[in-house]
Amino acid sequence: MEKPWAASKRVALLLAICLVLLPPALVILPGMRDAPYPWKLRWAITSTGQDVVGIQKLEEKCDMSMGKWVREPMGPVYTNLTCPTLPDIKNCQRYGKDPGHLFWRWQPDGCDLPRFVPERFLDVVRGKRLAFIGDSLARNQMESLLCLLSQDQKPTNVDAVESDNFQAWYFPTHNFTLMVMVTRYFTHAVPVLDAAGKPTDSFDIHLDRLDPTWTSQLTELDYAVLSGGNWFFRVNYLCEGGRRIGCVGCREANLTDFGIAYSVRRVVRAALEGIVRCRDCNSSLVAFLRTYTPSHFEHGSWFDGGYCNRTQPLGEHETNFKSIGWELRRVQSEEVMWAREMSGSERFRVLDVTKAMMLRADGHPGWHYDKRSARDANDCLHWCLPGPVDMWNDMLLQRLDEISPPLRR
């Protein structure tokens, strides 16, 4: 007969062996070996609580919205000499900008944002049509993506009519079309005329009519990347049913100033609702909303002496996370969640770049661009190419890769 102490010793030994062998066993469970980092395990307990019946993988998708800029000695994927489509107005190195802003990469908290691989992007979007829809910063992102993809394949310009408001590029090897559709407000907007009948800087924004510049092309798209917000920082008028119902920044006694955040919410909702209700659209159309990115004028604005001569990213203590830009980020994100609930679909997604770009006061052209192609002033709104704007497409590729079919990945 076995002694009680011997039995206890044997049990203790078995428990010790289990504790040593169990962690390696967990790593090679079916489906776990190839799991992307980061991931963690949790026990799935039966409802009776009597036993552990299995192990469930809990994948944590990378939250790329929070993080910091860290040094990147490799520099950008392309240079101003290797991008055949780089516009002079974004070619900051040609016009003497300090190259220090090129050697940084965005490091999300708790995970990594992979370096852009042009071949990988083109494989993911093979046979697809993608459009950037928004203001000139949407065009800035399209120009960045063109430069990135041209490192693998030279695109063909397929514009029927040369226009700053619409451009289309085709990558024949992958049957991929890339477009930009410039719309300042997503909805129909008409310049307000002065007493002499000349357009002013203000607009009548018709909240109940979408801008056909982009809606006329919507049914052809597989991916849409919407962005905007900077055109609301001026006096504008909000209209419904053909009449003014309020304004942004006006001082007229008979109109309510609803403010920038409310106005941005209204046009974003109108745009997303238009996509939700689009009956002829591709059922698999995925719409991204890229969050607001601020300008970095210091000691003035665009045409009264403002400048942006920083040579490295700002520290967080130098950034105001209670600013209107941060508020617009919240409004835009909430509207995407509204669209997901309204549609019952997860095909509405956010590209949250606001914090990252609030820190990059060093990434704008400033004085470093061809003055023949723009008004003579500092540009502290748009982004140099290459530059921090390329991170937006790093993020876009990561999200597209997550939602693409397994065989395409």
Side-chain angles (χ1 to χ4, degrees):
M1 181 175 177
E2 189 179 34
K3 301 291 186 181
W5 60 268
S8 299
K9 186 175 181 180
R10 185 156 55 89
V11 170
L13 181 60
L14 289 171
L15 287 173
I17 292 172
C18 288
L19 289 175
V20 172
L21 296 180
L22 185 57
L26 292 180
V27 174
I28 59 173
L29 283 173
M32 300 299 292
R33 180 174 52 196
D34 298 325
Y37 179 85
W39 58 268
K40 63 183 180 179
L41 304 175
R42 67 181 180 186
W43 295 104
I45 311 297
T46 60
S47 58
T48 61
Q50 294 177 348
D51 196 16
V52 175
V53 296
I55 296 173
Q56 178 181 9
K57 181 179 73 173
L58 178 64
E59 290 197 8
E60 295 180 338
K61 289 186 177 180
C62 176
D63 178 7
M64 295 181 285
S65 65
M66 297 293 118
K68 60 185 178 181
W69 290 96
V70 298
R71 293 284 185 178
E72 175 49 79
M74 292 178 64
V77 173
Y78 64 96
T79 73
N80 66 318
L81 300 178
T82 64
C83 176
T85 59
L86 180 60
D88 255 13
I89 198 170
K90 312 290 172 41
N91 192 348
C92 304
Q93 271 60 63
R94 178 176 179 179
Y95 296 96
K97 185 175 176 66
D98 184 295
H101 70 286
L102 300 176
F103 297 92
W104 299 88
R105 66 177 175 84
W106 180 245
Q107 175 63 64
D109 295 335
C111 56
D112 285 319
L113 178 57
R115 187 175 175 87
F116 191 95
V117 179
E119 301 90 338
R120 181 178 166 215
F121 190 100
L122 288 169
D123 281 341
V124 169
V125 297
R126 186 184 296 273
K128 303 292 185 180
R129 297 170 67 88
L130 183 152
F132 293 105
I133 301 169
D135 55 25
S136 57
L137 289 172
R139 184 168 59 238
N140 207 167
Q141 185 172 4
M142 186 274 294
E143 292 164 344
S144 162
L145 185 55
L146 270 180
C147 285
L148 289 162
L149 296 180
S150 67
Q151 305 310 293
D152 177 68
Q153 182 182 154
K154 184 177 180 180
T156 302
N157 189 332
V158 291
D159 288 349
V161 178
E162 195 70 30
S163 169
D164 284 341
N165 292 332
F166 179 84
Q167 295 179 24
W169 298 81
Y170 183 63
F171 294 80
T173 303
H174 292 77
N175 187 26
F176 168 59
T177 302
L178 172 63
M179 293 176 281
V180 63
M181 305 169 191
V182 175
T183 174
R184 298 183 179 104
Y185 301 101
F186 299 131
T187 59
H188 181 61
V190 181
V192 176
L193 304 180
D194 62 16
K198 296 182 178 180
T200 66
D201 290 335
S202 300
F203 287 82
D204 280 320
I205 304 171
H206 295 266
L207 300 174
D208 49 1
R209 294 172 56 192
L210 291 176
D211 183 354
T213 299
W214 66 276
T215 56
S216 61
Q217 306 278 343
L218 192 59
T219 58
E220 306 297 322
L221 301 182
D222 299 286
Y223 303 112
V225 182
L226 286 73
S227 60
N230 285 287
W231 279 80
F232 287 90
F233 289 80
R234 60 179 64 205
V235 176
N236 283 315
Y237 299 91
L238 307 180
C239 304
E240 285 183 332
R243 66 181 186 87
R244 292 178 176 176
I245 62 167
C247 69
V248 181
C250 74
R251 297 181 179 179
E252 299 179 26
N254 61 335
L255 287 176
T256 300
D257 183 352
F258 286 107
I260 296 172
Y262 171 87
S263 306
V264 169
R265 184 186 295 278
R266 288 296 307 272
V267 299
V268 169
R269 176 165 294 197
L272 295 179
E273 186 173 7
I275 297 174
V276 171
R277 299 188 184 281
C278 180
R279 295 183 179 179
D280 296 326
C281 284
N282 190 332
S283 61
S284 60
L285 169 65
V286 178
F288 297 91
L289 193 147
R290 177 177 55 73
T291 58
Y292 176 78
T293 61
S295 63
H296 288 95
F297 291 99
E298 297 185 59
H299 305 289
S301 59
W302 201 318
F303 298 112
D304 61 3
Y307 59 84
C308 44
N309 58 2
R310 304 281 183 140
T311 57
Q312 64 181 23
L314 300 174
E316 291 201 14
H317 66 283
E318 300 176 272
T319 304
N320 181 10
F321 291 107
K322 295 183 179 180
S323 65
I324 182 61
W326 201 246
E327 173 70 5
L328 296 184
R329 166 190 178 266
R330 180 185 64 81
V331 164
Q332 292 169 325
S333 299
E334 288 176 353
E335 289 308 304
V336 171
M337 293 306 299
W338 171 86
R340 294 179 73 154
E341 293 176 4
M342 181 181 180
S343 65
S345 167
E346 295 186 1
R347 62 193 182 100
F348 293 90
R349 295 170 176 262
V350 174
L351 296 177
D352 189 347
V353 303
T354 302
K355 179 185 177 182
M357 305 315 288
M358 288 177 78
L359 299 173
R360 291 309 305 267
D362 60 324
H364 303 286
W367 282 103
H368 304 289
Y369 64 90
D370 184 357
K371 298 300 188 297
R372 294 172 302 174
S373 59
R375 295 174 68 178
D376 188 24
N378 273 299
D379 184 350
C380 303
L381 172 66
H382 301 97
W383 302 92
C384 295
L385 296 174
V389 63
D390 297 320
M391 183 274 285
W392 305 354
N393 291 312
D394 294 341
M395 188 180 292
L396 176 60
L397 170 55
Q398 189 69 2
R399 293 305 184 217
L400 288 174
D401 194 43
E402 290 172 358
I403 63 178
S404 65
L407 289 178
R408 195 178 296 275
R409 287 204 300 269

